[in-house]
Amino acid sequence: MIRLAALAIGYAFGLFQTAYLYGKMKGIDIRRYGSGNAGTTNTLRVLGTKAGLIVLAGDILKCILAIVTVRLLFAESHADMQYLLAMYAALGAILGHNYPFYLGFKGGKGIAATAGLILSFHPAFIPMGVLIFFGIFFTTHYVSLGSLLVYAGFIIQIVVMGQNGVFGMSQPLLNELYGIAAFLTVMAYWKHRENIGRLLHGKERKTYLFKKNKEAIDLNAR
C-alpha cells in the first residue's frame, strides 16, 4: 500500500504539464507543432530558449517535489525504504508526465522529469548526469543522445551504489529498486525509439540554445 501511495503522489505531481500549459498561455497547443511532444526540447525548438528553460524548470521541479513530499511523509516510518519510495514517487511523476490522463495520455518523454530524479535522489548522481548530458549535448547538439546516455549511466551507477551499501537496503528491496530503474530506462528508450532510428541513420534533428531552431514559430504572425 505504501508503494502505491508514493506512486500516486508522484503521478499527481507529474500531471502538471508545463509545456502544454505554457503553450496555452501563448495561444497554442504545443502538441500540434514541431515533434508533437509536450516536453522541454519541443518547446525550446518551437517557442525559443526562454520558453524551453521555463518548461525545463517546471518539469524538473515537479519530480523533485514528488520525491520531497514522499520523503516528508514516509521517511521516518519507513526509513529502510526511503530510497525505494523516492523511486516510486519518481516513477509516478514520470508516468504522469508521459501519460497524463486528461490529455489523452499524450505528454512528454520524461527526460526533464528524470533530471529531477537525478538531482534529488542522491547527490552522487548529479555529477554523472551533468557531465554526460551536457558533454554530449554541447558536442553533438543531440538532446536525445545525451538523454539516452544519461539513463545508461544512471542504471549502472544505481546498481554499483546499491551493491556497495550506499542506500542501506536489504537485497530484496535493492532488487525492487533496480527493477524500477530498469523499467524507467526501457520506457525512456521506447519513447525515443524514433530518435534512435534517426540517430542511426544520421537524420536526427539538432537543438540549439542560442540560435533559432528550424521548428521555431513566430507567434506574432499567427
Side-chain angles (χ1 to χ4, degrees):
M1 183 63 82
I2 195 71
R3 292 167 172 81
L4 290 177
L7 186 68
I9 289 169
Y11 188 81
F13 276 101
L15 291 176
F16 186 85
Q17 292 292 310
T18 318
Y20 176 78
L21 295 173
Y22 187 90
K24 283 297 184 182
M25 289 173 55
K26 298 297 182 181
I28 69 167
D29 183 343
I30 192 66
R31 299 172 303 165
R32 297 182 181 275
Y33 294 85
S35 67
N37 182 58
T40 297
T41 303
N42 195 40
T43 303
L44 188 150
R45 289 172 176 163
V46 173
L47 295 176
T49 300
K50 178 182 176 182
L53 292 176
I54 290 172
V55 169
L56 173 65
D59 287 346
I60 290 174
L61 185 61
K62 66 188 179 186
C63 190
I64 291 176
L65 290 176
I67 291 174
V68 169
T69 300
V70 165
R71 281 179 168 157
L72 288 174
L73 290 174
F74 306 123
E76 287 191 18
S77 59
H78 296 78
D80 62 325
M81 295 176 62
Q82 62 171 310
Y83 285 103
L84 179 60
L85 294 176
M87 187 66 82
Y88 270 105
L91 171 62
I94 294 168
L95 286 173
H97 175 80
N98 290 356
Y99 304 106
F101 71 89
Y102 66 97
L103 294 178
F105 300 97
K106 185 180 179 182
K109 295 181 179 178
I111 298 304
T114 299
L117 164 61
I118 289 172
L119 289 171
S120 57
F121 189 75
H122 191 284
F125 286 96
I126 298 174
M128 177 278 299
V130 170
L131 288 174
I132 292 178
F133 179 79
F134 286 104
I136 295 297
F137 175 70
F138 286 121
T139 302
T140 68
H141 296 286
Y142 292 139
V143 173
S144 57
L145 182 59
S147 302
L148 294 170
L149 290 178
V150 165
Y151 254 111
F154 174 71
I155 194 166
I156 292 170
Q157 187 174 4
I158 203 167
V159 172
V160 170
M161 290 176 63
Q163 293 307 118
N164 280 279
V166 174
F167 306 129
M169 295 194 300
S170 65
Q171 193 61 49
L173 292 179
L174 283 173
N175 292 339
E176 194 174 344
L177 184 75
Y178 303 156
I180 299 171
F183 176 80
L184 287 172
T185 302
V186 170
M187 182 167 62
Y189 276 71
W190 172 255
K191 295 287 285 187
H192 285 81
R193 60 193 183 279
E194 294 180 359
N195 303 83
I196 292 171
R198 289 193 294 267
L199 284 167
L200 292 173
H201 292 90
K203 297 180 179 179
E204 177 67 322
R205 289 164 292 192
K206 295 188 176 185
T207 301
Y208 300 92
L209 285 178
F210 304 112
K211 68 179 184 179
K212 195 171 184 179
N213 293 282
K214 291 182 179 179
E215 295 90 344
I217 62 172
D218 184 356
L219 293 174
N220 295 322
R222 295 179 69 255

